[in-house]
Amino acid sequence: MTTLNADLHCHSVMSDGTLTPEALAVRAAANGVNLWSLTDHDEIAGQARALQAAQAAGMKYLTGTEISVSFAGKTVHIVGLGFDAHDPRMAQGLLKTRGGREQRAQEMADQLAAAGIPGCFEGALRFVGNPELISRTHFARHLVESGVCSDTHEVFRNYLTEGKPGFVPHRWASLREAVQWITECAGVAVIAHPARYKFTANEEYALFSEFKTHGGVGVEVVTGSHTAHEASVYAQVAQEFGLAASRGSDFHSPHESRIDLGLLPELPKGLKPVWELVEHRIQ
Ligand code: AMP
Ligand code: MN
Ligand code: MN
Ligand code: MN
């Protein structure tokens, strides 16, 4: 298993990615991935297709999702891996989490209109693959296509984020709920891209300790959202908190993502790979 190329984080058209589960599987396999997971935001509708496409492409598969959580006034993402995708408790939890996205999107569009950019709700909708999952990414694609910004990174620097036009705070699932849905469905919970949250040291300590208390067992160390330095920082945090380590590109689109599927550095030595905790759940 030393040559394992695990990529356990990416998005399809079922959330805010631009590729189908099938196209992602082909791309992942072509890049050398042999253990894969599709982790759409708050959604598991792509899981059956992803599993089938993974096996057809010769890859092993772990079920996946990325749950939006509100913690200490910010949005934190918790990746679930290896859970039973047929367990109704996961479907019910995610359904509840997805609710309210349309209303939020309407409010985002109202703010953007007030800032002189009308028509963003309809514009964003044109990029949406799953009507229950209109996200900031779809607004970002519309703002790029309509020439307001030159790329999605510029969008998130000037719009849709705290203090900028088009930002609407939202109450997502609680940390306890997200970890509970994953673990009661036989999966493992993983803190996604921890360096992105910009928490204070105290807030971050609270996140990691509460996550462990609720039954969380892993943290993403190597991700498309981390620099090499951030990966080494969170390798140490993983060891301090006794968490296993995950690896995932967070690939969304060939034109937007910094790192392609599977083309990530290896996990730093000495860490427990999170997939070893769910070996019995690999399909
Ligand atoms: P939402 O779930 O609607 O709040 O949208 C969150 C998604 O927006 C994330 O999953 C990313 O795909 C994207 N996103 C958020 N912040 C940024 C950023 N600073 N740069 C690029 N993409 C971002
Ligand atoms: Mn996303
Ligand atoms: Mn995320
Ligand atoms: Mn993601």
Side-chain angles (χ1 to χ4, degrees):
M1 291 289 256
T2 47
T3 58
L4 199 65
N5 183 344
D7 190 333
L8 305 179
H9 190 151
C10 70
H11 300 274
S12 78
V13 290
M14 294 297 182
S15 62
D16 61 348
T18 62
L19 302 183
T20 60
E22 290 79 10
L24 286 167
V26 168
R27 191 176 181 103
N31 287 350
V33 173
N34 38 31
L35 176 63
W36 181 55
S37 182
L38 171 66
T39 55
D40 278 312
H41 296 285
D42 308 321
E43 179 60 277
I44 53 171
Q47 292 303 305
R49 286 170 59 181
L51 168 62
Q52 199 177 14
Q55 291 177 341
M59 295 184 293
K60 297 285 188 193
Y61 190 74
L62 277 170
T63 53
T65 187
E66 183 178 19
I67 305 179
S68 310
V69 160
S70 296
F71 186 86
K74 289 188 177 160
T75 300
V76 165
H77 286 167
I78 301 295
V79 164
L81 298 170
F83 54 86
D84 174 4
H86 301 291
D87 191 312
R89 288 172 293 187
M90 176 61 81
Q92 280 158 14
L94 296 182
L95 182 67
K96 190 174 93 175
T97 309
R98 286 197 298 275
R101 274 188 179 267
E102 187 172 346
Q103 174 70 31
R104 168 189 185 236
Q106 201 60 259
E107 289 171 30
M108 287 163 60
D110 291 346
Q111 272 195 30
L112 290 165
I117 314 167
C120 287
F121 185 79
E122 296 72 19
L125 266 190
R126 290 188 303 119
F127 293 90
V128 169
N130 174 355
E132 286 184 32
L133 228 125
I134 179 161
S135 88
R136 286 186 289 161
T137 314
H138 303 114
F139 278 79
R141 290 188 185 131
H142 166 68
L143 290 170
V144 171
E145 201 219 38
S146 58
V148 175
C149 293
S150 57
D151 59 37
T152 53
H153 299 289
E154 190 187 323
V155 175
F156 285 104
R157 274 199 303 275
N158 299 295
Y159 301 96
L160 311 182
T161 46
E162 207 169 337
K164 305 287 161 63
F167 179 73
V168 176
H170 196 74
R171 189 85 207 161
W172 303 109
S174 71
L175 183 63
R176 185 187 56 75
E177 287 173 313
V179 176
Q180 186 182 323
W181 299 334
I182 296 163
T183 50
E184 72 189 3
C185 298
V188 284
V190 176
I191 297 176
H193 43 61
R196 285 237 317 242
Y197 308 126
K198 312 294 177 208
F199 279 135
T200 64
N202 279 341
E203 288 167 338
E204 186 176 273
Y205 182 82
L207 171 66
F208 277 78
S209 343
E210 288 183 34
F211 175 72
K212 276 210 76 166
T213 304
H214 296 315
V217 293
V219 57
E220 283 184 348
V221 170
V222 173
T223 132
S225 298
H226 283 178
T227 61
H229 174 68
E230 288 165 342
S232 67
V233 167
Y234 286 96
Q236 204 171 340
V237 172
Q239 283 180 318
E240 280 164 18
F241 281 87
L243 292 169
S246 193
R247 176 178 188 264
S249 57
D250 206 357
F251 181 81
H252 283 69
S253 156
H255 310 293
E256 295 164 8
S257 297
R258 279 195 298 173
I259 290 190
D260 209 326
L261 288 153
L263 306 184
L264 296 152
E266 285 185 25
L267 282 183
K269 296 272 174 292
L271 298 178
K272 171 94 176 160
V274 75
W275 52 89
E276 290 182 2
L277 302 177
V278 270
E279 234 154 17
H280 57 292
R281 306 285 313 159
I282 295 177
Q283 290 178 281

